[in-house]
């Protein structure tokens, strides 16, 4: 199976994303081919991913002439993405490489949590050391490993402490998805559906396919050609958006936040009981209902979105409990797009199209949030 290369075109900060199967055993050579000639590496991962993939990463680095490879683990999942772990990782990096002259290559082996935290660490250690993303979840493959947003959660707010810091290279070995839990694979599908929903009608249609079976099912079955094709499409879409608005200043990058205003708030308010993509799936349902109530999109978009999310066995709502609605509304006020007392919503206007809307009446926002909080009957 051929490796696909997608270039993220950011002038002096440009880098390639390599997408394929069984790439980690050849990682050392890939680094050399892409101009990374360090001889020391600091690998941030977690216990689960490290147990599965660190050895093959280390072996391949040594084969390519790395003399020292230090591994540092952070806790798995969102609980690892905080200031204490960020600080602990900086301390471990300093302890391993105390001399100013010895600059290691930082390698981030894991999902979005490792990638977000590790990219932040690499960006501030000695005012920046080079790093490479090695995404091992579908979500990190299609989204978080590309684009340079790196951050940790702080003070109960998601991603509030962070910087823009582009990797030198992304090596996306899709074979690692074989060990990912079904739940995490489906979580990544939410971001894939997001790209189709607001960035590319043809991707959305490809996911839908014919007679209830399309690329979505082939991806969930880990069919290598489909995975490579769709991951590459998503990375191309993201690279295109990031190239136009790298620092999130022009409003263009907001498209990537479809479903995230209510989704992030719910993710936080539900104390991270939801995987990131699950929260985004629910957030996309809420945002689409908001678009419907504003007359911005047709009911058929909602039913097509709902059908795809159901086929990926993603949740469409979350069990309500006392105080949750109010917590979600409060958390929405911490959103980076909250300004002048209002949220800016990224809303679909048709398959593959979107619009941002600032002055949405509160009663419509409340109704959209309530629409995804259900009295727990077990129906998703
Ligand atoms: P994650 O990093 O928490 O990984 C999910 C789980 O899968 C973890 O328990 C991890 O140990 C396990 N895992 C990872 N790879 C595995 C593998 N190959 N085999 C077995 N287990 C494996 O979750 P995620 O969904 O990858 O990332 C979510 C994070 O990404 C969130 O914090 C979110 O805010 C962030 N994110 C960032 C961006 C960005 O642009 N920076 C974009 C989207 C999401
Ligand atoms: N995931 C949102 C962004 O990269 O802008």
């Amino acid at each position: 199976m051929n490796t696909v290369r997608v270039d993220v075109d950011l002038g002096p900060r440009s880098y390639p994303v390599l997408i394929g199967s069984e790439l980690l055993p050849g990682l050392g050579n890939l680094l050399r081919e892409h101009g990374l000639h360090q001889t020391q590496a600091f690998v941030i991962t977690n216990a689960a991913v490290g147990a599965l993939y660190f050895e093959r990463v280390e072996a391949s680095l040594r084969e390519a002439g790395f003399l020292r490879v230090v591994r540092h683990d952070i806790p798995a999942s969102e609980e690892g993405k905080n200031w204490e772990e960020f600080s602990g990782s900086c301390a471990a990096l300093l302890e391993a490489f105390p001399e100013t002259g010895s600059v290691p290559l930082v390698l981030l082996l894991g999902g979005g949590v490792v990638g977000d935290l590790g990219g932040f660490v690499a960006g501030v250690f000695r005012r920046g050391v080079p790093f490479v993303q090695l995404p091992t979840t579908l979500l990190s493959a299609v989204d978080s490993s590309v684009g340079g947003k790196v951050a940790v959660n702080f003070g109960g707010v998601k991603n509030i402490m962070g910087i823009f810091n582009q990797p030198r290279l992304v090596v996306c070995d899709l074979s690692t998805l074989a060990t990912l839990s079904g739940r995490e694979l489906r979580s990544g599908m939410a971001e894939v559906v997001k790209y189709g929903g607001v960035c590319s009608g043809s991707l959305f249609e490809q996911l839908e396919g014919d007679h209830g079976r399309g690329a979505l099912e082939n991806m969930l079955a880990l069919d290598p050609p489909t995975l490579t094709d769709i991951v590459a499409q998503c990375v191309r879409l993201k690279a295109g958006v990031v190239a136009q608005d790298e620092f999130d200043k022009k409003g263009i990058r907001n498209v990537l936040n479809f479903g995230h205003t209510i989704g992030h708030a719910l993710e936080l308010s539900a104390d991270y009981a939801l995987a990131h993509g699950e929260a985004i799936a629910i957030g996309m349902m809420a945002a689409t209902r908001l678009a419907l109530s504003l007359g911005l999109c047709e009911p058929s978009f909602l039913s097509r979105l709902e059908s795809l999310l159901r086929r990926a066995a993603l949740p469409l709502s979350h069990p309500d409990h006392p105080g949750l609605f109010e917590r979600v509304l409060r958390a929405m006020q911490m959103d980076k797009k909250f300004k002048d007392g209002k949220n800016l919503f990224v809303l679909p206007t048709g398959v593959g199209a979107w619009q941002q809307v600032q002055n949405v009446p509160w009663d419509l926002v409340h109704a959209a949030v309530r629409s995804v909080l259900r009295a727990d009957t077990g129906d998703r």
Side-chain angles (χ1 to χ4, degrees):
M1 174 79 60
N2 288 341
T3 300
V4 174
R5 172 181 168 140
V6 178
D7 287 293
V8 185
D9 192 359
L10 301 173
R13 294 174 301 285
S14 298
Y15 53 94
V17 180
L18 309 178
I19 302 155
S21 299
E22 297 299 341
L23 297 183
L24 288 183
L27 175 67
N29 289 336
L30 288 175
L31 298 176
R32 298 312 189 209
E33 281 166 24
H34 289 85
L36 294 160
H37 296 298
Q38 292 80 358
T39 53
Q40 312 195 78
F42 186 76
V43 183
I44 304 183
T45 185
N46 68 35
V49 179
L52 290 163
Y53 300 110
F54 177 74
E55 261 181 35
R56 75 183 71 164
V57 165
E58 184 180 27
S60 135
L61 294 179
R62 294 221 181 260
E63 255 172 53
F66 277 78
L67 303 172
R68 204 161 153 240
V69 181
V70 178
R71 168 176 164 181
H72 175 70
D73 288 3
I74 61 168
S77 310
E78 202 67 27
E79 65 201 85
K81 194 173 144 178
N82 59 44
W83 190 258
E84 290 68 35
E85 290 303 329
F86 163 74
S87 166
S89 302
C90 292
L93 186 49
L94 179 59
E95 193 184 333
F97 300 95
E99 291 156 23
T100 325
S102 70
V103 176
L105 180 64
V106 174
L107 299 170
L108 308 177
L109 176 66
V113 165
V114 164
D116 280 14
L117 177 142
F120 187 18
V121 170
V124 296
F125 185 70
R126 298 218 165 95
R127 297 198 180 83
V129 292
F131 77 106
V132 172
Q133 293 273 16
L134 307 173
T136 63
T137 62
L138 179 58
L139 188 139
S140 55
V142 297
D143 195 348
S144 61
S145 65
V146 175
K149 277 193 181 175
V150 293
V152 294
N153 308 327
F154 184 82
V157 186
K158 232 181 118 60
N159 299 331
I160 189 81
M161 290 295 188
I163 54 175
F164 289 92
N165 187 25
Q166 302 295 344
R168 292 293 179 86
L169 176 68
V170 180
V171 178
C172 177
D173 182 347
L174 295 170
S175 311
T176 61
L177 301 186
T179 52
L180 196 61
S181 69
R183 185 181 178 191
E184 292 298 344
L185 187 65
R186 292 192 295 272
S187 169
M189 281 306 305
E191 299 281 10
V192 175
V193 171
K194 172 194 83 176
Y195 286 111
V198 284
C199 297
S200 166
S202 60
L203 172 59
F204 198 84
E205 283 164 17
Q206 193 181 348
L207 292 170
E208 291 181 309
D210 293 324
H211 309 298
R213 188 175 172 92
L216 182 133
E217 280 74 19
N218 293 340
M219 285 187 81
L220 292 174
L222 298 180
D223 173 55
T226 312
L227 268 181
T228 308
D229 170 30
I230 303 281
V231 170
Q233 286 193 51
C234 294
V235 171
R236 257 182 229 116
L237 289 167
K238 180 153 187 182
V241 170
V242 172
Q244 294 175 71
D245 188 13
E246 181 182 359
F247 298 106
D248 215 357
K249 293 276 187 257
K250 301 179 186 164
I252 298 167
R253 200 164 169 162
N254 283 345
V255 64
L256 302 172
N257 282 319
F258 171 41
H260 284 55
T261 308
I262 295 173
H264 265 170
L266 185 60
E267 186 181 2
L268 198 68
S269 308
D271 297 321
Y272 297 118
L274 290 164
H276 179 73
E278 292 174 341
I280 299 315
I282 297 171
M284 289 192 288
M285 289 299 293
T288 302
R289 291 208 180 97
L290 199 50
L292 263 180
S293 65
L294 288 165
L296 292 175
C297 81
E298 299 291 324
S300 60
F301 180 80
L302 179 66
S303 48
R304 286 172 71 183
L305 176 73
E306 177 172 341
S307 159
L308 270 185
L309 296 175
R310 275 191 196 281
R311 281 162 57 182
L314 280 159
L316 306 173
S317 60
H318 187 72
D320 197 6
H321 56 73
L324 181 61
F325 174 72
E326 291 74 17
R327 280 184 75 183
V328 172
L329 290 186
R330 270 199 303 279
M332 282 168 61
Q333 300 188 2
M334 306 304 287
D335 187 87
K336 64 172 194 274
K337 298 184 296 318
F338 187 81
K339 214 175 121 201
D340 302 329
K342 295 273 187 182
N343 284 100
L344 178 78
F345 285 96
V346 173
L347 301 178
T349 54
V351 177
W354 67 293
Q355 184 179 319
Q356 33 197 344
V357 187
Q358 175 90 55
N359 284 315
V360 181
W362 276 114
D363 56 330
L364 298 185
V365 175
H366 289 190
V369 174
R370 284 200 193 284
S371 77
V372 291
L373 299 181
R374 65 176 193 272
D376 208 355
T377 55
D379 183 13
R380 292 153 62 93

